[in-house]
Amino acid sequence: MRRSVLIFLLITIVILTFLLHQVSTLIALLLEDASADAIQKSELPAPNSTLLTNRPQLIPKIIHQTYINESIPAHWLPAQQACLELHKDYEYKLWTDAKSLEFIEKEYPWFATTFRNYQHPIQRADSIRYFVLAHYGGIYIDLDDGCKRRLDPLLSYNAFVRRTVPTGISNDVMGSIPQHPFFLRVVESLQGANRKWLLPYITIMASTGPLFLSVIWKKWMGEHADLQTQSQTADWKGRVRVLMPDEYSGHTWSFFEEYKGNSWHGQDAKLIFWMGKNWMLLTAAGTVIVLSVGLALWWVYGRILLLGQKRRGYVAVEPTGSPKLTATRGSSRSPRASPRKGPSLWRRLGMEGKKERYELVEHHDA
Ligand SMILES: *[C@@H]1O[C@H](CO)[C@@H](O)[C@H](O)[C@H]1NC(C)=O
Ligand SMILES: *[C@@H]1O[C@H](CO)[C@@H](O)[C@H](O)[C@H]1NC(C)=O
């Protein structure tokens, strides 16, 4: 193979590998069914089961919710009341904007600047829930998720999140013991993920929202893949169990019931929500972008290659299209070899006049 073709292919492969590596977690996320960590139906006693739970209760009995202030809108009051009624023995913490900021400034001052500077209020609502779970432990519940049964059976895990369909996890219902290594990782990752993307929805999703959480979750599982196959998996404190859709809502044995409205602060709520549920589409879009970038780089590289050859004085082209080669061993010159006529890489790599061109490049490089 000619040297410049080889160089071009190598550069393309390196760039494409880099880009694919960048989105590899997203692709892996798409294929992740969470079955290894799913909370099985058989593990959970029915709501009014006489089965005595003799498993240890690890997660503290605390329910966390967030809202701007104490005046919760009427359409969410039934959901909130349902949780309060069923869990009178649980501590209840409502994280208002003011309380959240106070908490971060006192307990996590290194994060206060990032927290205050988040452009979208929902980013604060997202991030505070990870901090309070990492700090106090307990169960975080979005205001639009009403409780249908007591959460006690879920307290016997070290941490759990909720699976979303078709892929990924949500941050609307999560539980954890204090200082759980996964949630510590999540709070440590917030600053690094605090980037602006083209659309506010993507910025929110990827910096603090479900996409952010899902990516860390997927990486977390990848890093501890060795534990997944060993018998100690069950005892591994870092394991994050997954509440599956049937146990989340829609059945008599489900834990939650979705209420009208949602807790995103803002008018873009519906679109953000839609995006949260359409991972597949987003990932497909990402792949298309990667491929387009790859093709664009290919094209740019072709132009640069051409420019470089011109600059070396390799071809001095007359407007008429007959090339004057400054040095060549080839004899079968063709008028069609003019770069002006065919500047694309395809033409450069074409059969016409190929021999003399690359002989020259080789001669130059030698
Ligand atoms: C469980 O018992 C409570 C109180 O007895 C009752 O209100 C509720 O409907 C029962 N739940 C189910 C799923 O049977
Ligand atoms: C709480 O926030 C809402 C929405 O911004 C506002 O309309 C309401 O007046 C606030 N209530 C209090 C008590 O500050």
Side-chain angles (χ1 to χ4, degrees), residues 248-317:
Y248 167 62
S249 74
H251 298 276
T252 52
W253 67 88
S254 306
F255 284 92
F256 301 96
E257 187 176 355
E258 291 167 270
Y259 282 65
K260 277 222 155 98
N262 56 59
S263 54
W264 294 92
H265 313 172
Q267 294 185 337
D268 302 331
K270 273 189 186 156
L271 186 52
I272 297 172
F273 219 63
W274 176 87
M275 293 184 77
K277 290 185 173 170
N278 288 273
W279 293 102
M280 197 89 82
L281 197 78
L282 291 174
T283 309
T287 309
V288 169
I289 291 170
V290 165
L291 288 177
S292 314
V293 170
L295 285 173
L297 284 170
W298 192 349
W299 182 82
V300 167
Y301 183 79
R303 303 295 298 207
I304 291 170
L305 192 72
L306 190 67
L307 211 68
Q309 286 179 352
K310 272 186 185 169
R311 202 165 281 159
R312 282 182 208 159
Y314 156 44
V315 222
V317 189

Side-chain angles (χ1 to χ4, degrees), residues 347-362:
R347 176 72 64 105
R348 302 295 299 170
L349 296 177
M351 293 305 289
E352 299 283 356
K354 183 175 98 178
K355 196 167 173 233
E356 56 208 7
R357 257 182 237 130
Y358 291 110
E359 270 174 359
L360 184 72
V361 171
E362 275 173 352

Side-chain angles (χ1 to χ4, degrees), residues 125-315:
D126 274 335
S127 50
I128 188 68
R129 63 189 73 173
Y130 308 131
F131 277 100
V132 296
L133 282 183
H135 194 86
Y136 298 103
I139 296 181
Y140 170 83
I141 308 170
D142 255 8
L143 269 178
D144 59 342
D145 285 302
C147 301
K148 260 175 63 186
R149 56 177 285 192
R150 277 181 63 89
L151 300 167
D152 297 353
L154 297 175
L155 301 180
S156 56
Y157 305 108
N158 285 301
F160 70 88
V161 290
R162 180 175 86 76
R163 172 104 172 108
T164 44
V165 177
T167 182
I169 55 170
S170 172
N171 66 356
D172 57 5
V173 170
M174 307 176 280
S176 157
I177 56 168
Q179 303 288 291
H180 187 272
F182 172 70
F183 282 97
L184 291 178
R185 165 70 68 83
V186 170
V187 302
E188 282 162 11
S189 307
L190 280 164
Q191 281 177 318
N194 184 22
R195 270 180 256 139
K196 285 202 178 65
W197 297 83
L198 210 57
L199 298 170
Y201 329 112
I202 299 178
T203 302
I204 293 166
M205 292 282 295
S207 65
T208 58
L211 178 57
F212 160 77
L213 189 69
S214 296
V215 165
I216 295 175
W217 171 68
K218 183 63 197 161
K219 284 183 181 163
W220 179 257
M221 285 191 294
E223 285 166 22
H224 301 95
D226 52 331
L227 284 167
Q228 303 284 349
T229 54
Q230 292 168 15
S231 55
Q232 72 251 38
T233 307
D235 303 326
W236 178 47
K237 191 182 156 194
R239 190 176 181 198
V240 180
R241 301 301 301 270
V242 182
L243 189 68
M244 301 306 267
D246 281 353
E247 283 63 51
Y248 167 62
S249 74
H251 298 276
T252 52
W253 67 88
S254 306
F255 284 92
F256 301 96
E257 187 176 355
E258 291 167 270
Y259 282 65
K260 277 222 155 98
N262 56 59
S263 54
W264 294 92
H265 313 172
Q267 294 185 337
D268 302 331
K270 273 189 186 156
L271 186 52
I272 297 172
F273 219 63
W274 176 87
M275 293 184 77
K277 290 185 173 170
N278 288 273
W279 293 102
M280 197 89 82
L281 197 78
L282 291 174
T283 309
T287 309
V288 169
I289 291 170
V290 165
L291 288 177
S292 314
V293 170
L295 285 173
L297 284 170
W298 192 349
W299 182 82
V300 167
Y301 183 79
R303 303 295 298 207
I304 291 170
L305 192 72
L306 190 67
L307 211 68
Q309 286 179 352
K310 272 186 185 169
R311 202 165 281 159
R312 282 182 208 159
Y314 156 44
V315 222

Side-chain angles (χ1 to χ4, degrees), residues 33-81:
D33 65 357
S35 56
D37 295 310
I39 297 174
Q40 302 298 335
K41 286 182 168 64
S42 56
E43 287 179 55
L44 295 168
N48 289 338
S49 168
T50 53
L51 188 73
L52 288 173
T53 309
N54 48 14
R55 291 178 299 177
Q57 305 225 306
L58 306 171
I59 296 178
K61 289 185 168 178
I62 308 173
I63 290 176
H64 302 275
Q65 297 200 294
T66 58
Y67 192 63
I68 307 164
N69 55 32
E70 312 270 348
S71 334
I72 293 175
H75 55 281
W76 286 329
L77 282 174
Q80 183 204 28
Q81 282 309 311

